[in-house]
Amino acid sequence: MTKRALITGVAGQDGTYLSELLLGKGYDVYGVAGPYPGDFPERVAVSNGRLHAIDADLTDMESLLAAVEASRPDEVYNLAGQSSVGDSWTEAITTTEVNAMGVLRLLEALRQLAPEARFFQAASAEMFGNAAETPQRETTPLHPQSPYAASKTYAFHVVGSYRESYGMHASNGIMFNHESPLRSLQFVTRKITDGVARIKLGLAEELVLGNLDARRDWGFAGDYVEAMWLMLQQERPDDYVVASGEVHTVREFCAAAFSHLDLDYEQYVRTDLRFFRPADVNVLYGDATKACTVLGWEPKVGFGELVAMMVDADVEQLRAEGA
Ligand code: NDP
């Protein structure tokens, strides 16, 4: 029988890759685009009659009950969220409403109407904050340091409590940063690849960034959605770190992006204290051994290939816009 999946945040970066993956596997996909459903057809790359748009909002319980009723899902992937750590300082309440309370609402809707559905929650490495150990794994204590991280930490725990209290098949993917040409421009990786493309094409003269020494574990979104799917194919629900296992500084990302277009980043990149966060986490570096051994997952796209893919896509996009 054809499997049915409900994806929230379907028009976002991960939702786009995940809907492509599931449609390729023959699923019927029901997608909740978010508060601005006008974006839906434009952002979702594949639409072949098995992708159905549902109008719902994580802040509206009634709309979630209706979405579950309409989709009757076998699997639910909660990718909706206010996904920017930076914006969570200025939009703390909205962030918490969507990322924390929204997950509780969705779990409640499932508990009431589809308790057998398997549930994936997009948790975040930001929950580790300035972590007690490096690399971080499933057992590393959580120490959230932003409204975003705090909201994701609440959601992480409520998923665990619904799993244990109600026996639901609910899993958290503790996702380290993952990027792609679909990453939105407010994130540092895409800001860099867009910036270098603009400089190369003569559209900009410099790129202004925050903390170049922040260290992150960056992977490719297309690989990470595969891990989400694998989690829901397991007999037992559980929590898994999903990470590339490599750590790089923002400076290294810049160097790789500029050198891909034969430029020297030191001539173009300037830092400005205004772009530093009130409390930045310094090193996030994940150990995905459990996901690799239990799920059989492995990332396919490495750091250099990811940077090159994003730079090339930005150059191509700017050229298509007439640059
Ligand atoms: P995006 O920001 O690209 O996608 C999130 C989507 O959620 C957007 O399409 C947004 O719609 C939608 N959304 C926002 N508010 C609501 C709401 N109230 N109801 C329904 N939908 C809503 O993020 P990503 O695809 O990169 O990330 C997916 C998830 O994974 C997010 O929850 C993020 O926090 C989490 N995550 C991502 C990581 C990463 O590196 N990418 C790392 C760790 C966790 P709109 O654009 O219309 O607001």
Side-chain angles (χ1 to χ4, degrees):
M1 223 172 72
T2 306
K3 276 197 182 171
R4 301 159 71 94
L6 174 64
I7 304 176
T8 69
V10 73
Q13 171 187 262
D14 292 3
T16 305
Y17 282 101
L18 182 65
S19 55
E20 285 178 358
L21 179 79
L22 297 186
L23 288 168
K25 290 182 184 296
Y27 281 61
D28 270 344
V29 177
Y30 291 76
V32 172
Y36 311 106
D39 293 346
F40 186 81
E42 211 177 299
R43 287 295 308 273
V44 178
V46 176
S47 176
N48 60 7
R50 282 182 291 117
L51 179 58
H52 313 275
I54 293 192
D55 203 2
D57 184 331
L58 251 65
T59 63
D60 176 358
M61 183 72 199
E62 291 306 314
S63 75
L64 294 177
L65 287 165
V68 172
E69 211 155 48
S71 57
R72 291 181 288 108
D74 300 298
E75 296 174 9
V76 179
Y77 297 85
N78 183 38
L79 309 183
Q82 193 299 94
S83 62
S84 158
V85 177
D87 288 352
S88 81
W89 296 102
T90 49
E91 295 170 27
I93 292 172
T94 311
T95 301
T96 307
E97 261 302 326
V98 178
N99 293 4
M101 289 301 293
V103 179
L104 179 59
R105 288 186 194 97
L106 186 50
L107 284 168
E108 259 307 296
L110 292 174
R111 185 181 74 80
Q112 291 175 31
L113 298 177
E116 300 301 322
R118 297 184 171 193
F119 179 78
F120 169 84
Q121 164 62 14
S124 166
E126 289 284 333
M127 300 187 303
F128 295 122
N130 274 330
E133 60 178 0
T134 301
Q136 295 88 47
R137 44 182 73 89
E138 293 78 5
T139 49
T140 302
L142 305 182
H143 181 207
Q145 293 205 294
S146 63
Y148 172 84
S151 69
K152 288 287 184 183
T153 301
Y154 171 83
F156 175 83
H157 287 308
V158 85
V159 167
S161 88
Y162 269 57
R163 174 169 70 215
E164 281 157 32
S165 308
Y166 298 119
M168 288 171 66
H169 193 296
S171 298
N172 284 292
I174 305 173
M175 313 303 283
F176 280 67
N177 288 58
H178 46 280
E179 319 295 312
S180 75
L182 298 182
R183 191 61 145 151
S184 99
L185 278 165
Q186 83 238 53
F187 290 89
V188 67
T189 50
R190 183 75 200 292
K191 196 170 166 185
I192 294 168
T193 61
D194 173 73
V196 69
R198 282 177 191 279
I199 289 167
K200 183 71 181 181
L201 297 175
L203 301 171
E205 288 177 354
E206 64 172 10
L207 175 61
V208 185
L209 298 170
N211 182 9
L212 295 186
D213 297 315
R215 298 205 283 161
R216 291 288 183 278
D217 177 330
W218 284 295
F220 171 51
D223 288 340
Y224 285 37
V225 300
E226 184 112 30
M228 300 174 185
W229 175 76
L230 284 168
M231 281 178 223
L232 298 202
Q233 310 317 305
Q234 305 308 303
E235 203 179 314
R236 296 163 66 85
D238 206 343
D239 302 327
Y240 297 89
V241 161
V242 183
S244 76
E246 275 183 49
V247 68
H248 295 275
T249 60
V250 172
R251 190 185 304 282
E252 285 166 353
F253 197 106
C254 285
F258 278 81
S259 87
H260 183 63
L261 295 185
D262 300 318
L263 298 169
D264 175 3
Y265 84 96
E266 287 185 281
Q267 289 180 19
Y268 301 98
V269 173
R270 190 164 67 72
T271 55
D272 188 324
L273 284 177
R274 280 179 303 145
F275 293 102
F276 282 61
R277 288 178 189 157
D280 206 358
V281 297
N282 284 326
V283 192
L284 285 176
Y285 166 32
D287 176 356
T289 303
K290 182 175 169 185
C292 296
T293 51
V294 179
L295 303 177
W297 176 76
E298 64 177 334
K300 298 182 187 77
V301 175
F303 178 74
E305 203 183 331
L306 173 66
V307 175
M309 176 205 298
M310 292 176 68
V311 171
D312 289 343
D314 274 317
V315 170
E316 203 176 303
Q317 185 173 326
L318 288 169
R319 286 211 172 111
E321 286 167 12

